[in-house]
Amino acid sequence: MRRRVGGVAAIQKHQLAQARFKDKGNEIADDQLQHMTKQMETFRSNLQEFAGKYKSKIKKNPQFRQQFQEMCAATGVDPLASSKGFWADMLGVGDFYYELGVQIVEVCLATRHRNGGIMNLEELRRLLLKSRNVASKQEDIGYDDLLRAIDKLKILGEGFRTIACGSTRDHIVQSVPAELNVDHTKVIQKGSSTGYVTLTILIEEFGWEKVRAEKAIVDLIREGLVWVDEQFQGESSYWFPGLLKV
């Protein structure tokens, strides 16, 4: 009986020690959280001070603006999240990307009849710079600006998105609400380098059966994304007018 009582006491002592360790652990965790919170508040305050100091450079220089966006992301700040508040008042970045998004939509709609709704990011930037007339008072735009603005256009539905192809400037912009699967995307990515594909190219590149390659091509033709050339080097070729290098 004594051993049993002693055993219960030992268990209770062990449980008490565990509770104390848990309380101490929670106390340390709270202290660390408070310390990190203060650090983040200080960093955000410094970020605001930095934004005020380099306001003009952030608005005019695309590379500097990209670096600033990355600094914001590191602190959980999204200057594009709202058109109101400190960042909009200080920098006008919300208005900048809103206006850029509208211009992107205008360019995509104006060129859709000849490119089927897809084009290289580089071509989009060229057309935007031409329409914005950088020589005027409007700020220059970089590839990062375009990607951020297009990302914000997702609110319009599935009509706007980008497809990664090599470097940033080679990204493809899709501006039609076509339902593209993995195969479609691979075909477009392959065609981004030369402007066209053939069934032979797709079969050799991806190891597909002929029926699979034909299915992907037929879908893209139906969506109006490719043009067919039946007299190209003895085999039908499928061209992406929006991806041709000019």
Side-chain angles (χ1 to χ4, degrees):
M1 180 65 70
R2 289 181 181 177
R3 287 183 180 178
R4 186 176 181 181
V5 173
V8 171
I11 292 174
Q12 291 177 335
K13 184 177 180 180
H14 177 69
Q15 290 176 336
L16 179 60
Q18 283 187 321
R20 288 176 177 174
F21 277 123
K22 183 177 180 180
D23 290 341
K24 188 62 176 178
N26 291 336
E27 181 182 343
I28 293 174
D30 289 340
D31 288 342
Q32 290 178 335
L33 179 60
Q34 291 179 7
H35 179 67
M36 290 179 62
T37 301
K38 289 180 179 179
Q39 282 187 324
M40 293 299 291
E41 289 175 351
T42 300
F43 198 91
R44 288 174 182 170
S45 177
N46 292 337
L47 188 61
Q48 291 181 353
E49 183 179 347
F50 175 88
K53 184 177 181 180
Y54 295 101
K55 175 181 177 179
S56 178
K57 193 170 184 179
I58 291 172
K59 293 183 67 176
K60 294 181 179 180
N61 188 307
Q63 289 75 30
F64 199 82
R65 186 163 52 246
Q66 178 180 353
Q67 293 172 353
F68 173 73
Q69 294 278 9
E70 292 171 352
M71 289 171 59
C72 289
T75 62
V77 174
D78 185 2
L80 311 183
S82 173
S83 59
K84 300 180 181 180
F86 171 82
W87 299 108
D89 295 338
M90 169 64 72
L91 302 174
V93 287
D95 292 338
F96 172 87
Y97 285 102
Y98 169 77
E99 293 172 1
L100 181 57
V102 171
Q103 292 168 344
I104 288 173
V105 172
E106 291 175 346
V107 169
C108 288
L109 290 177
T111 58
R112 186 177 293 176
H113 69 283
R114 62 179 175 81
N115 60 29
I118 58 173
M119 72 171 75
N120 288 319
L121 194 66
E122 184 175 15
E123 173 68 2
L124 175 61
R125 180 174 181 269
R126 185 185 69 80
L127 294 174
L128 281 169
L129 291 178
K130 183 178 180 180
S131 65
R132 288 166 62 93
N133 187 10
V134 176
S136 68
K137 294 181 179 180
Q138 286 194 306
E139 300 89 352
D140 191 8
I141 51 176
Y143 298 108
D144 181 76
D145 291 328
L146 296 178
L147 293 177
R148 292 180 187 278
I150 293 171
D151 183 66
K152 295 302 175 183
L153 291 176
K154 288 180 180 178
I155 193 173
L156 300 178
E158 297 299 321
F160 287 87
R161 71 171 187 138
T162 57
I163 301 173
C165 292
S167 63
T168 300
R169 69 174 57 193
D170 292 326
H171 276 51
I172 293 172
V173 180
Q174 175 192 336
S175 61
V176 288
E179 296 184 5
L180 302 182
N181 59 30
V182 175
D183 284 0
H184 302 146
T185 300
K186 284 187 174 181
V187 174
I188 294 173
Q189 289 173 325
K190 182 60 182 175
S192 66
S193 58
T194 59
Y196 75 94
V197 296
T198 65
L199 292 179
T200 298
I201 289 175
L202 298 180
I203 292 170
E204 292 179 352
E205 176 72 16
F206 303 124
W208 290 352
E209 295 292 335
K210 183 178 180 180
V211 65
R212 181 175 179 180
E214 288 177 336
K215 174 63 168 59
I217 289 296
V218 168
D219 291 343
L220 293 175
I221 293 174
R222 184 177 62 248
E223 295 293 345
L225 299 180
V226 298
W227 294 348
V228 183
D229 181 356
E230 297 180 345
Q231 299 178 344
F232 180 75
Q233 298 181 356
E235 180 182 10
S236 294
S237 59
Y238 308 94
W239 295 79
F240 297 87
L243 304 182
L244 296 176
K245 303 295 183 179
V246 295

